[in-house]
Amino acid sequence: MRTVGLKLESLVFTASIAKIIRKYQELSISQIKQIVLNNEYVFKCDIICANGIRTILHIKGDLSKEGIISYIYVDGKLTNEEYLNNILASYKQTENQVETEINREALLEDE
């Protein structure tokens, strides 16, 4: 499993961080505090999970609005939002290709 995760630059816990993280995950304040203090991923998912990737991008955006710097990692290596957006675009393209192929096969069966 390839993991995509979001970490904070600072190891300082704040109420703003807790509020943002709780918007996307049901975690207690103490759990969020431990995650921040231990420099763990505040959110992570499998790289094939489009919804998880979108969530990471939303969390990163919300944190940025509050002036909180965060970093995206894929398998422990630093990456950026553009990389994740490209992955999402690729997934959408594949989804469209599969749908087109299914429709084509369905039409052939109807004939």
Side-chain angles (χ1 to χ4, degrees), residues 61-111:
D62 288 352
L63 290 167
S64 182
K65 287 177 191 171
E66 294 293 321
I68 301 165
I69 298 170
S70 61
Y71 299 104
I72 300 168
Y73 293 86
V74 174
D75 292 334
K77 295 178 183 157
L78 191 61
T79 191
N80 56 37
E81 293 169 70
E82 182 181 2
Y83 179 77
L84 295 187
N85 283 318
N86 288 340
I87 288 173
L88 291 175
S90 170
Y91 291 168
K92 184 65 175 167
Q93 183 179 21
T94 301
E95 180 182 313
N96 290 339
Q97 289 172 342
V98 169
E99 186 175 331
T100 299
E101 186 62 31
I102 289 170
N103 289 338
R104 188 174 316 150
E105 288 178 14
L107 288 173
L108 288 175
E109 286 183 13
D110 288 344
E111 293 177 358

Side-chain angles (χ1 to χ4, degrees), residues 5-68:
L6 186 69
K7 286 187 178 185
L8 304 178
E9 179 181 66
S10 174
L11 302 182
V12 177
F13 174 77
T14 66
S16 295
I17 292 170
K19 182 178 176 184
I20 292 167
I21 301 306
R22 289 183 69 159
K23 180 177 171 183
Y24 297 96
Q25 298 184 88
E26 290 186 31
L27 296 173
S28 70
I29 302 275
S30 62
Q31 287 174 305
I32 296 169
K33 185 175 183 177
Q34 282 305 114
I35 288 169
V36 172
L37 296 177
N38 292 333
N39 194 29
E40 297 172 0
Y41 292 123
V42 293
F43 190 90
K44 67 180 177 179
C45 66
D46 191 304
I47 198 161
I48 62 171
C49 180
N51 287 335
I53 291 172
R54 283 187 206 96
T55 299
I56 286 173
L57 293 170
H58 287 295
I59 294 171
K60 183 164 180 48
D62 288 352
L63 290 167
S64 182
K65 287 177 191 171
E66 294 293 321
I68 301 165

